[in-house]
Amino acid sequence: MRHRRSRLSLAWVCFAVLGLGLLADDSPAQQPRPKNVILPTEGTNALRDRYKDRNVSQRLKVLREGSETASAAKPEDVQAIDVLAQWLAYRITWPETQDQKEAMSRAAAELDRELELLNRYKPQNQAFADLLTKQLVVRLKEVLQNEKPIASVNGARMLTSLARFGVEDAAEALAEALKDAQLNDGAKYYALQGLGRQFARWYDAGAEGQPVAKDRKEKEPRYAQAVIDALERKPPFNLRYAAQKEERDGLREGLRFFRREAVKALSQIRAPGLADASGAVKVRPAQTLLKVVNNENLSPSVRLDEQVEASLGVAFLRSRLTETYQPDYAAQQLGAFVAEFARRSGDVAGADAKTKAFPWKYHAARLGDALEAMRADVKTLKDPKAVAHVGQVVNLALRVLKDIEVRGSSTNVGDLKIWLDNNPPPNSTLYRGVADSTVKPIALPEDDESGDKYQPEKKPDPTKKPEAPKKPDAPKKPDDKKDPFKKK
């Protein structure tokens, strides 16, 4: 029973980290959140009466079904749509919703049902769908300002549902939420999910060849940078200072849980780099993902599942979307990770229960599929040396991963490591002409206690004189009496 209590306590710490914002950014003070404001301000009964009004319900019925076309020029349409938007959004600020066990889930499910109805009657109700979803974003942004985490977290959850439905205004609201220093991490976790949905929609295979929205070139780099900032965020305090080891472990796991969602969101971007108007790479998703793969300067140190997700994101990149991208450099880093993945899978016999429970075969199969996609992607490149290098790395890595998929470990990892050590990639940077687009070699996993790399920087004291260098000690003379080989 003691072990079970420990696991439950650890889980609760993780949820506290995300839900209560214990790891909020250390930013300058801003205006405080409204304290548990119940919306609308005139009271719950006022909204309930408006929603149950017969004229409103009848108007919503004909607009939803598309019997009549909704119009922003008709006051009765604007009023009915806003009442519905308030009803769906505001109830998560009501104590009666927050206090009941299933009421919050029912409120979120009602929004999903409304979105399903919008889909059912398309395209005849498109005008109504556009007006309603736009107004829902407005009302949910008000909910996000609520100080009570249960309201703001579920508000972000609903915005994520809208992003899944294809509402780009919802993605804009979630990008703003991700940069809000006062918003709790539970809401930001859903913001990452929603932005990942938006990236996935932009890069959906069926969307290729279709006209790109004019504002996407401005939005995508900004959204991607917001995700990268969340991914690379340092803890606002040294985790070693937590009193109890269980608390330290919980805080680390909460950070990693949050960071893994950022990795998943960033992995939905298929462009290796996002360029500005001049063509220069402005945001570097590929380089950020490789930093996760190689465990470079991230605190706390990355978990294996984070590295796997980041590797998948790199392998599924589409080289042709960024002219200066050099995939042979990325393939070299992924090959090194596969070798490390294989080494750790071979150490399972003497590992702890958590390592033994890791789905090695499943992730080996996922990595294999992704590397095959990478090999197919680069075949059309004009750099034959880079194409050949990627192909060789993938061939050797697939042999290793296939062994793990079948047997749980590999005997071919030595061939991969020797080849990587003796065959550097033809290109020494990730982006052509960008000198700092490199990553450090993959770092070995660190234990939790040594993995807290964040330390406040100590500024040198300008009034203190530097110490003079110490003179080296003079060599000691041999002691003749202790020399057994000295001739007598």
Side-chain angles (χ1 to χ4, degrees), residues 25 49 74 269 285 309 364 402 447 472:
D25 292 336
D49 292 341
K74 297 178 181 178
I269 299 176
E309 295 298 336
K402 192 64 178 178
D447 62 84

Side-chain angles (χ1 to χ4, degrees), residues 220-290:
E220 187 177 358
R222 185 159 47 84
Y223 295 177
Q225 190 60 57
V227 173
I228 290 173
D229 290 343
L231 189 155
E232 295 182 338
R233 183 186 61 181
K234 300 290 185 183
F237 53 85
N238 195 322
L239 298 180
R240 296 178 191 169
Y241 295 157
Q244 302 295 327
K245 183 179 186 304
E246 187 178 58
E247 182 184 357
R248 293 196 299 271
D249 291 342
L251 291 172
R252 289 189 190 93
E253 291 307 298
L255 275 167
R256 288 166 175 149
F257 185 73
F258 179 86
R259 187 172 59 198
R260 185 182 64 180
E261 201 60 38
V263 170
K264 288 182 176 180
L266 195 63
S267 296
Q268 297 302 317
I269 299 176
R270 298 306 184 208
L274 301 175
D276 57 18
S278 66
V281 175
K282 182 180 180 181
V283 182
R284 308 175 185 178
Q287 187 170 351
T288 302
L289 291 172
L290 283 179

Side-chain angles (χ1 to χ4, degrees), residues 126-139:
Q126 188 61 55
F128 171 70
D130 292 342
L131 290 173
L132 175 60
T133 54
K134 188 178 183 66
Q135 195 62 19
L136 273 169
V137 172
V138 172
R139 296 309 181 187

Side-chain angles (χ1 to χ4, degrees), residues 15-323:
F15 282 113
V17 167
L18 294 176
L20 302 181
L22 297 181
L23 300 175
D25 292 336
D26 214 4
S27 303
Q30 299 181 6
Q31 293 297 322
R33 290 272 192 253
K35 291 187 179 297
N36 304 338
V37 172
I38 299 173
L39 298 174
T41 54
E42 60 266 32
T44 61
N45 288 332
L47 177 56
R48 188 178 283 107
D49 292 341
R50 290 199 298 269
Y51 180 70
K52 291 182 177 180
D53 182 88
R54 185 175 180 181
N55 293 328
V56 170
S57 59
Q58 288 181 342
R59 192 64 193 159
L60 287 174
K61 184 177 185 300
V62 297
L63 295 178
R64 183 184 288 118
E65 295 175 354
S67 303
E68 295 185 27
T69 302
S71 172
K74 297 178 181 178
E76 62 272 24
D77 290 358
V78 173
Q79 179 188 4
I81 288 170
D82 189 44
V83 167
L84 177 57
Q86 290 185 40
W87 176 257
L88 293 171
Y90 284 172
R91 281 179 301 150
I92 61 178
T93 69
W94 297 1
E96 61 195 76
T97 305
Q98 297 171 356
D99 295 342
Q100 295 179 24
K101 187 175 181 180
E102 301 296 334
M104 191 66 74
S105 296
R106 287 198 300 270
E110 187 170 343
L111 173 62
D112 291 337
R113 285 195 300 273
E114 186 65 45
L115 296 178
E116 290 174 4
L117 286 173
L118 294 181
N119 265 330
R120 181 184 303 176
Y121 293 107
K122 276 187 175 181
Q124 59 264 31
N125 67 348
Q126 188 61 55
F128 171 70
D130 292 342
L131 290 173
L132 175 60
T133 54
K134 188 178 183 66
Q135 195 62 19
L136 273 169
V137 172
V138 172
R139 296 309 181 187
L140 287 170
K141 285 175 69 175
E142 296 176 33
V143 173
L144 286 184
Q145 299 302 310
N146 199 290
E147 185 188 51
K148 205 165 186 180
I150 192 172
S152 56
V153 168
N154 281 280
R157 177 184 175 188
M158 289 182 170
L159 282 169
T160 298
S161 294
L162 290 173
R164 188 184 302 114
F165 187 69
V167 181
E168 292 202 13
D169 286 347
E172 180 68 33
L174 292 171
E176 293 173 4
L178 202 55
K179 294 184 291 184
D180 187 343
Q182 291 187 312
L183 192 61
N184 64 78
D185 281 357
K188 290 184 178 183
Y189 175 83
Y190 281 108
L192 290 169
Q193 282 192 352
L195 289 175
R197 296 283 185 178
Q198 182 61 57
F199 295 144
R201 288 183 65 85
W202 276 336
Y203 288 97
D204 182 72
E208 287 194 11
Q210 297 181 6
V212 177
K214 293 181 179 179
D215 57 355
R216 175 179 166 183
K217 290 184 178 180
E218 182 276 328
K219 287 181 177 179
E220 187 177 358
R222 185 159 47 84
Y223 295 177
Q225 190 60 57
V227 173
I228 290 173
D229 290 343
L231 189 155
E232 295 182 338
R233 183 186 61 181
K234 300 290 185 183
F237 53 85
N238 195 322
L239 298 180
R240 296 178 191 169
Y241 295 157
Q244 302 295 327
K245 183 179 186 304
E246 187 178 58
E247 182 184 357
R248 293 196 299 271
D249 291 342
L251 291 172
R252 289 189 190 93
E253 291 307 298
L255 275 167
R256 288 166 175 149
F257 185 73
F258 179 86
R259 187 172 59 198
R260 185 182 64 180
E261 201 60 38
V263 170
K264 288 182 176 180
L266 195 63
S267 296
Q268 297 302 317
I269 299 176
R270 298 306 184 208
L274 301 175
D276 57 18
S278 66
V281 175
K282 182 180 180 181
V283 182
R284 308 175 185 178
Q287 187 170 351
T288 302
L289 291 172
L290 283 179
K291 286 182 179 180
V292 178
V293 173
N294 287 13
N295 191 19
E296 180 183 333
N297 297 332
L298 293 171
S299 178
S301 58
V302 297
R303 286 189 319 201
L304 187 57
D305 58 340
E306 296 177 76
Q307 293 174 295
V308 169
E309 295 298 336
S311 298
L312 296 174
V314 174
F316 281 121
L317 290 171
R318 299 171 190 167
S319 303
R320 64 185 179 279
L321 297 180
T322 304
E323 185 179 354

Side-chain angles (χ1 to χ4, degrees), residues 368-386:
D369 291 343
L371 288 175
E372 287 182 345
M374 183 180 195
R375 180 173 56 186
D377 173 74
V378 304
K379 284 184 178 180
T380 58
L381 294 183
K382 297 179 180 179
D383 186 347
K385 292 183 178 179

